[in-house]
Amino acid sequence: MRKADAVRDKSWQPGTRTRTDQAPVPPPPDQPRVGGDLRRASQALGEVGAKARTETRDEIARMLRRAPVEDGADPAIVADQYADMVADAIRQPPAATDRTITRNVADVTKPVSQASEAGRKLTTALENNAGAEARALAALSPAQQSAYRRLAAATTGDVAARLGLQVLLLGDRLPGQASSGGGADTLAGLDRLLTKAPLAEGIDRNALVRQLVREMAAPAAIAQKGKNTCTVTSLQIFMADRRPSEYVRIVTALASPEGAAVLTGGPTVRREPGTAADDGSGRSISSRLWQPAMMEAANGRDYDNAADNFDGDPERRGLNVRDIGRVFKAVTGDRVISRDVRSLPLPERERFWKKLLGDSLGRGDAVLVGLEWTSIDAATGKENTSGHKVLVTGFDAGVVHFTNPWGQEEIMSVRDFTQRLKNLNVLVPENAD
């Protein structure tokens, strides 16, 4: 499977080997096994729309208890186990014929009570990993150890965040590399936010730190909620996953009293009015800071967070492919290829996207794609069609894997993906061929 298997922020590379002390979940009968990825291998990948294999939280928790993370564990498996622990059971969407939800990630913007069933499972995983955490911590410098312990203390009482911090360390994502925008590494950036970064009135420092930790440990949980911000939310997911130090730097700057962040690509983005305090959207603090600011930065129009539109026009809500290419380049500082492919015949369209996606994913970079999106109104049964932006994470001969910025990981057949594909924004570093 072609997938993003190199992380630009750190030499942490999702691998495909299977832990020798953990029995892999066999694929369902007559279904292909995709590489060695444990999560992908547990899916029924045949005809998209077929019922996915159900794995309950209890089964996932038992797997974790059998195989606590140890030195040398594959970081990809560490991260997947955490995401599974905070995910709903794998299930079919209530109304869809051409896509399957493989993981519906829980709302990690909210703390999990240790007394709850989910909290007890997360606590068990946290305890299982304690020895490996201590050994990984001992490998850091004294200053880094102190920073980590301060963050651990700040996340105590929120077991999802505390486990998320542990997973970032065990997955070799802490301390991380320095931010591309000239800031600190991920660990130092989080510690600065926790201890001394000036914040605007209305922003809860500890809550923001805990939410950032959860988001970086399970980026697919980042969601647009009810806002028309799928484009910049997909970009946010990429940054939390692949460039976490820069993600922390930008969010910290947006949370400051000035509310301004200078992006790697040059422009300055500013916090939108009304986003320092709870705006009723149900988004995390980082999401309500990031998404409105990036919407306005994308096309220079006046984005109203409350009305969720531009220039007071209810018909101006989303971003076009050029807009998202502009903000993608500004945030990363890299070259971005933005293409509308609707005029291409289907065979040529498929060859085109496979070439661009294969090259970009092979480098560990991001591909944002715009799809013609069909949904069913639960109340009326009416079919609605609109545009929707998602983050592609991999593909093989018959299936495309992507993160839907509704907090879900999904798959779609290559055939349906090609038919629905409208446009692409492909990240291409300046030194790439």
Side-chain angles (χ1 to χ4, degrees):
M1 181 178 73
R2 306 298 293 272
K3 60 183 180 180
D5 54 5
V7 175
R8 295 172 57 79
D9 189 76
K10 179 72 177 175
S11 57
W12 172 74
Q13 299 187 2
T16 56
R17 62 185 174 86
T18 301
R19 291 273 308 281
T20 56
D21 60 345
Q22 176 175 307
V25 179
D30 302 321
Q31 299 292 347
R33 178 167 183 149
V34 181
D37 183 319
L38 293 180
R39 174 168 51 81
R40 299 276 193 254
S42 71
Q43 310 299 325
L45 296 184
E47 179 67 18
V48 176
K51 184 174 179 60
R53 178 178 182 273
T54 297
E55 292 192 1
T56 65
R57 282 177 168 172
D58 285 341
E59 289 169 337
I60 293 167
R62 282 197 294 272
M63 180 192 301
L64 265 176
R65 284 197 291 272
R66 283 201 310 271
V69 176
E70 299 171 352
D71 288 342
D74 190 328
I77 296 175
V78 174
D80 263 358
Q81 288 177 338
Y82 174 76
D84 281 333
M85 286 294 293
V86 297
D88 288 335
I90 296 167
R91 61 181 178 85
Q92 279 290 94
T97 58
D98 60 359
R99 74 185 213 277
T100 298
I101 298 174
T102 56
R103 182 157 58 193
N104 192 18
V105 183
D107 187 352
V108 298
T109 65
K110 298 177 181 177
V112 176
S113 168
Q114 287 183 273
S116 67
E117 181 183 1
R120 289 193 295 272
K121 293 172 183 175
L122 296 176
T123 300
T124 297
L126 184 67
E127 293 169 350
N128 282 346
N129 300 339
E133 179 185 36
R135 290 187 290 273
L137 188 59
L140 301 183
S141 70
Q144 290 169 337
Q145 291 179 31
S146 296
Y148 185 86
R149 291 192 176 99
R150 284 190 289 270
L151 290 165
T155 55
T156 298
D158 178 353
V159 66
R162 180 65 184 88
L163 179 59
L165 182 69
Q166 187 187 69
V167 164
L168 291 174
L169 177 67
L170 297 179
D172 199 25
R173 301 182 70 193
L174 293 179
Q177 291 184 340
S179 162
S180 59
D185 60 43
T186 308
L187 178 60
L190 286 170
D191 186 51
R192 176 179 179 273
L193 175 58
L194 176 66
T195 58
K196 62 183 180 182
L199 298 181
E201 185 177 353
I203 293 179
D204 185 322
R205 183 183 301 275
N206 283 353
L208 178 56
V209 169
R210 292 192 296 266
Q211 289 171 6
L212 283 169
V213 167
R214 296 189 212 108
E215 287 175 348
M216 289 186 291
I222 296 173
Q224 67 190 91
K225 299 297 184 178
K227 300 292 186 178
N228 289 285
T229 57
C230 57
T231 48
V232 294
T233 306
S234 295
L235 175 57
Q236 181 186 1
I237 293 167
F238 163 70
M239 293 297 288
D241 185 30
R242 300 280 160 174
R243 303 192 183 182
S245 58
E246 180 68 354
Y247 179 57
V248 171
R249 184 191 73 83
I250 293 172
V251 170
T252 300
L254 290 173
S256 70
E258 297 78 17
V262 179
L263 301 181
T264 303
T268 297
V269 294
R270 301 185 183 281
R271 182 178 67 244
E272 284 301 300
T275 58
D278 186 357
D279 64 355
S281 66
R283 293 175 293 184
S284 65
I285 300 171
S286 48
S287 289
R288 72 170 188 254
L289 293 172
W290 175 284
Q291 293 168 24
M294 295 302 171
M295 289 291 283
E296 187 155 305
N299 63 13
R301 294 182 180 274
D302 181 21
Y303 175 78
D304 186 320
N305 179 62
D308 192 23
N309 63 35
F310 292 99
D311 300 330
D313 184 348
E315 299 301 317
R316 289 184 179 271
R317 292 188 177 275
L319 301 174
N320 62 37
V321 65
R322 293 181 299 279
D323 294 337
I324 189 60
R326 187 179 300 113
V327 72
F328 199 177
K329 184 180 189 307
V331 168
T332 63
D334 285 324
R335 182 161 53 102
V336 176
I337 297 174
S338 301
R339 293 286 188 274
D340 189 311
V341 300
R342 286 174 292 183
S343 63
L344 296 178
L346 289 179
E348 186 178 347
R349 190 186 305 179
E350 182 173 337
R351 286 193 296 271
F352 183 75
W353 74 252
K354 283 185 174 179
K355 168 61 176 172
L356 283 182
L357 267 67
D359 289 349
S360 186
L361 293 172
R363 292 189 296 269
D365 289 317
V367 181
L368 306 183
V369 303
L371 299 174
E372 183 179 89
W373 198 258
T374 302
S375 59
I376 307 296
D377 188 297
T380 65
K382 181 180 178 181
E383 184 178 281
N384 300 312
T385 301
S386 61
H388 189 46
K389 206 80 170 182
V390 301
L391 180 71
V392 173
T393 57
F395 68 91
D396 57 23
V399 175
V400 178
H401 301 261
F402 60 91
T403 299
N404 182 343
W406 296 351
Q408 298 169 178
E409 292 179 345
E410 305 186 8
I411 54 176
M412 181 182 288
S413 71
V414 165
R415 177 196 60 200
D416 288 322
F417 180 84
T418 301
Q419 290 176 339
R420 292 183 176 276
L421 183 62
K422 298 172 64 177
N423 54 62
L424 309 93
N425 298 104
V426 183
L427 187 67
V428 184
E430 293 299 335
N431 59 358
D433 295 333

